[in-house]
Amino acid sequence: MTMPGNELVSRIKNLLPELERVYTDIHAHPELSMQETRTARIGADHLRGRGYEVTDGIGETGVVGFLRNGDGPTVMLRADMDALPVREQTGLPYASTQMATDSTGKTVPVMHACGHDMHVTWLMGAATLLAETQDAWKGTLMLVFQPAEETGRGAQAMVDAGLLGRFPKPDVILGQHVMVGPAGSIGSRAGV
């Protein structure tokens, strides 16, 4: 069964108030690479609340959630969670004032300057939408909240912790990145 486009748009619009609250909360409470315990807990709790099988602590703070819905491909959706050691100067009412200790022991300001707050939010929205519309698709969803993209340590830490051996191998892996461009546009390319 397919879902009419207007029903899908309506469902997405209904999710926006909750997702905006999630986004502003995560934006105001950023965490450095390999320190994403709060963000990981938010993602894991969200998945559990929507019926996903959840394993957390993969590669320290990584989260993997599964939603099995009959025969079909295993599709992995991935979102980064970490923030940068940057002082926020946006003046937004939800601007980060967080300080943290980096890997060298130095106290630094922290902000989501690269959009990973948006990554976590979109994955939570997709998790909700796909859990609510299981009559429109078949297969297995594998949702991954990945730590430490900024330092390059998170993906390897998750692989070293058994990501590819403990869980079903995805047939398709989809990630995203927030970047400058016209609203509503999507860019893609074949291959890695």
Side-chain angles (χ1 to χ4, degrees), residues 66-170:
F66 280 93
L67 187 61
R68 300 171 201 281
N69 191 28
D71 292 333
T74 297
V75 176
M76 182 176 124
L77 305 178
R78 175 197 152 278
D80 306 317
M81 297 187 291
D82 57 334
L84 291 165
V86 175
R87 182 172 314 282
E88 182 162 359
Q89 298 178 7
T90 63
L92 293 168
Y94 54 90
S96 170
T97 59
Q98 300 293 306
M99 301 293 287
T101 303
D102 70 12
S103 61
T104 68
K106 182 179 174 187
T107 300
V108 295
V110 185
M111 84 169 280
H112 276 292
C114 199
H116 296 179
D117 46 355
M118 184 63 72
H119 293 193
V120 172
T121 303
W122 90 261
L123 189 55
M124 290 171 65
T128 299
L129 186 63
L130 290 162
E132 291 177 350
T133 60
Q134 292 182 56
D135 57 338
W137 61 273
K138 293 289 181 205
T140 299
L141 288 173
M142 176 182 186
L143 305 187
V144 175
F145 291 97
Q146 180 195 309
E149 184 271 342
E150 295 295 353
T151 63
R153 292 180 48 212
Q156 189 63 57
M158 291 188 81
V159 168
D160 291 347
L163 179 68
L164 302 176
R166 292 171 59 183
F167 304 105
K169 180 183 175 193

